[in-house]
Amino acid sequence: MLISAAVSAADAVTGPKAESFKEQGNAYYAKKDYNEAYNYYTKAIDACPNNASYYGNRAATLMMLGKFREALGDAQQSVRLDDTFVRGHVREGKCHLSLGNAMAASRCFQRVLELDRTNPQAQQELKNASAVLEYERIAEIDFEKRDFRKVVFCMDRALEFAPACHRFKILKAECLALLGRYPEAQSVASDILRMDSTNADALYVRGLCLYYEDCIEKAVQFFIQALRMAPDHEKACLACRNAKALKAKKEDGNKAFKEGNYKLAYELYTEALGIDPNNIKTNAKLYCNRGTVNSKLRKLEDAIDDCTKAIKLDDTYIKAYLRRAQCYMDTEQYEDAVRDYEKVYQTEKTKEHKQFLKNAQVELKKSKRKDYYKILGVNKNASEDEIKKAYRKRALMHHPDRHSGASAEIQKEEEKKFKEVGEAFTILSDPKKKARYDSGQDLEEDGMNMADFDANNIFKAFFGGPGGFM
């Protein structure tokens, strides 16, 4: 009896004081001064720790401050003290939903509807929880399908209802990294690490971004840190293993290339390319490196193919464009070379790139003219004597008199070739004209009009006599 009387007396003393603190907390809450409101609700709880509404009010304040996990604890305490406290169940449900636990949230809102069947807030929040569960379901399926854009979309929608859910944010960040949107992924992971520096998932995503940006050494450090926080983190473990393997193979390939062992370098780069198809930037470099190996082995079409694969992975990779352009030049595919050099020069306007483009344009222009060296059957370094011997041979071979008994069609073709042989000799036997021809300049500027050219005059001048075939 004495204990009961003592307790009643204490309630009589602390009750009004606790109510006063609550009223002051309400006033600050109305002014949106949530920190002061929190302080006064805490005083009310300290004065009367068994009042459900005090915990409910402090939970509401913590929710406004974005501290949903702490708010959840207060909301749960409020309904433990009074299971019929509707606002307590609503707040617990909203905290669960904000933290991404839609199933727990649904149970809270269903309890509200048991207490108040027509509660509009609980009805709407139950729909929101169902929507989050559906977004989670779709995202899980799409992640398996590697449809990362759709996963990002689903997580963005889910985060509208669950803004404090680290799990949703991490999944979004991981997919952003897999889509190559590294700054966005880094930003999401960094926000989480500011709040929780030991979050293994966020550390993994930071490492993943660095790994996909070809900063492999730094990436490994983050993966190791994530594994310290969560030794069973499967994704961090796999990524760490891949990163170390990729780094080792790439370095071994580079070493073999520098030592001139191109066959081994090719094999090592190929093995490295099989480690992780998702690592776009590193794989682009590996394809370009393998393309360089192929060019050294004079497998120029294979080199072009590798550079094309590198560019497909990273269309800003200047080195791959330059390597492919050189291979196009070496295989006399000048139009393609010009296109690549134009792309390079538009991106990086350096003197060197300008000269590359100019050289390719000259070769393209030259390639569209008659190839006088080919017509005479000599190479570009042929001597004066070699050019004369070639003319003698070809002129006699194609002279019209030699084919006077052939069909009209053959006569016409041989006459055309005879004229071309004369043109070729006229240009290549004259040092000045030859130099202009070799540099790609227009021969018309020298007064050469090939349309009015008479091959018989050249033949007569070379062989002497009236110009007939003997």
Side-chain angles (χ1 to χ4, degrees):
M1 291 293 291
L2 287 172
I3 293 173
S4 178
V7 171
S8 297
D11 289 341
V13 173
T14 58
K17 191 174 181 182
E19 277 298 305
S20 174
F21 288 141
K22 187 194 83 168
E23 292 302 327
Q24 289 179 77
N26 289 348
Y28 280 114
Y29 188 94
K31 293 177 185 176
K32 297 185 180 179
D33 187 345
Y34 301 118
N35 286 312
E36 277 303 306
Y38 172 84
N39 290 336
Y40 278 97
Y41 289 140
T42 300
K43 289 178 181 180
I45 289 169
D46 291 342
C48 188
N50 296 319
N51 189 305
S53 67
Y54 296 168
Y55 284 99
N57 287 2
R58 192 168 72 172
T61 303
L62 287 165
M63 289 168 71
M64 296 307 294
L65 290 168
K67 298 178 179 180
F68 293 99
R69 201 162 295 283
E70 294 173 53
L72 177 61
D74 274 355
Q76 288 174 327
Q77 179 61 15
S78 74
V79 297
R80 273 195 292 267
L81 292 169
D82 181 2
D83 188 46
T84 64
F85 184 31
V86 170
R87 280 182 296 174
H89 286 294
V90 169
R91 285 166 188 157
E92 182 188 358
K94 290 188 76 171
C95 287
H96 278 306
L97 189 56
S98 294
L99 292 165
N101 192 344
M103 287 292 288
S106 297
R107 288 193 292 270
C108 293
F109 299 133
Q110 284 164 356
R111 175 58 181 152
V112 172
L113 293 172
E114 288 172 10
L115 297 168
D116 178 5
R117 288 185 183 180
T118 60
N119 188 296
Q121 188 177 13
Q123 290 173 343
Q124 182 57 51
E125 292 294 352
L126 193 57
K127 289 179 183 177
N128 295 344
S130 297
V132 169
L133 287 170
E134 181 63 10
Y135 286 130
E136 281 192 81
R137 187 189 69 79
I138 296 170
E140 186 178 351
I141 293 168
D142 288 328
F143 190 89
E144 289 298 318
K145 292 179 180 177
R146 303 185 65 77
D147 189 349
F148 302 124
R149 284 184 177 80
K150 198 167 178 184
V151 178
V152 171
F153 171 82
C154 287
M155 289 302 95
D156 279 336
R157 299 291 79 76
L159 284 163
E160 290 174 5
F161 302 112
C165 181
H166 286 180
R167 186 163 48 88
F168 293 168
K169 289 178 181 178
I170 287 295
L171 180 56
K172 174 185 173 180
E174 184 179 0
C175 290
L176 287 170
L178 291 166
L179 289 167
R181 293 159 64 178
Y182 307 119
E184 294 172 75
Q186 289 270 31
S187 178
V188 174
S190 296
D191 286 344
I192 293 171
L193 288 170
R194 272 192 288 273
M195 293 181 279
D196 177 10
S197 62
T198 64
N199 189 298
D201 291 323
L203 290 167
Y204 159 71
V205 170
R206 283 290 303 275
L208 198 65
C209 291
L210 290 165
Y211 171 60
Y212 286 146
E213 289 181 291
D214 200 38
C215 301
I216 294 179
E217 284 187 29
K218 288 183 180 178
V220 168
Q221 292 172 13
F222 274 97
F223 294 143
I224 290 171
Q225 200 175 344
L227 289 167
R228 284 200 194 105
M229 299 300 117
D232 296 328
H233 199 295
E234 290 183 7
K235 288 183 177 179
C237 186
L238 176 62
C240 191
R241 188 164 62 244
N242 283 346
K244 287 179 177 179
L246 201 53
K247 181 174 180 288
K249 285 289 182 189
K250 185 181 176 185
E251 288 177 351
D252 289 347
N254 293 347
K255 184 172 180 288
F257 180 82
K258 286 176 184 175
E259 292 172 352
N261 192 341
Y262 302 129
K263 185 179 178 182
L264 177 60
Y266 178 90
E267 290 172 359
L268 288 166
Y269 289 141
T270 302
E271 287 172 17
L273 282 163
I275 291 171
D276 184 2
N278 293 323
N279 196 321
I280 291 170
K281 278 208 168 181
T282 302
N283 287 345
K285 290 181 180 180
L286 288 168
Y287 273 122
C288 188
N289 287 0
R290 197 173 74 174
T292 305
V293 171
N294 276 322
S295 70
K296 290 287 186 182
L297 294 169
R298 304 311 297 167
K299 296 179 179 179
L300 297 177
E301 288 302 329
D302 288 343
I304 289 169
D305 185 51
D306 275 342
C307 291
T308 301
K309 287 174 180 174
I311 290 164
K312 189 175 180 181
L313 291 175
D314 181 2
D315 63 1
T316 65
Y317 192 15
I318 294 299
K319 189 176 177 181
Y321 283 106
L322 288 170
R323 171 59 57 195
R324 187 172 71 174
Q326 184 57 56
C327 291
Y328 281 140
M329 292 288 284
D330 292 343
T331 53
E332 299 182 2
Q333 300 177 63
Y334 299 119
E335 286 187 9
D336 291 324
V338 167
R339 187 186 64 245
D340 277 356
Y341 282 132
E342 282 176 343
K343 171 72 174 177
V344 170
Y345 185 62
Q346 287 166 7
T347 307
E348 293 181 2
K349 288 183 166 59
T350 67
K351 287 183 180 179
E352 185 183 26
H353 294 162
K354 186 177 183 180
Q355 189 59 48
F356 285 151
L357 175 58
K358 186 177 178 182
N359 293 345
Q361 288 170 333
V362 167
E363 291 302 321
L364 174 61
K365 185 177 180 182
K366 286 163 66 176
S367 71
K368 292 184 176 180
R369 307 171 309 174
K370 289 179 182 177
D371 187 341
Y372 290 138
Y373 290 102
K374 190 174 181 180
I375 288 169
L376 288 182
V378 296
N379 64 46
K380 293 181 181 180
N381 298 316
S383 66
E384 188 177 342
D385 277 350
E386 286 172 331
I387 290 169
K388 285 180 179 178
K389 286 177 183 177
Y391 172 68
R392 178 191 297 276
K393 179 181 177 182
R394 298 291 172 117
L396 292 172
M397 184 187 300
H398 298 298
H399 194 284
D401 289 356
R402 185 169 189 167
H403 303 280
S404 57
S407 66
E409 186 179 349
I410 291 174
Q411 285 185 36
K412 187 176 180 181
E413 181 62 27
E414 292 299 325
E415 187 176 348
K416 179 185 174 185
K417 289 179 180 178
F418 179 68
K419 184 178 178 182
E420 286 178 343
V421 167
E423 283 180 26
F425 180 69
T426 300
I427 300 303
L428 299 183
S429 62
D430 184 315
K432 184 180 176 183
K433 290 187 177 73
K434 183 176 183 294
R436 292 181 67 81
Y437 175 78
D438 287 344
S439 66
Q441 296 180 57
D442 290 325
L443 297 173
E444 284 76 5
E445 294 177 13
D446 259 0
M448 287 291 297
N449 187 349
M450 293 304 176
D452 300 329
F453 178 81
D454 189 344
N456 284 308
N457 290 336
I458 298 297
F459 189 87
K460 283 189 286 183
F462 188 87
F463 287 98
F469 177 75
M470 295 179 292

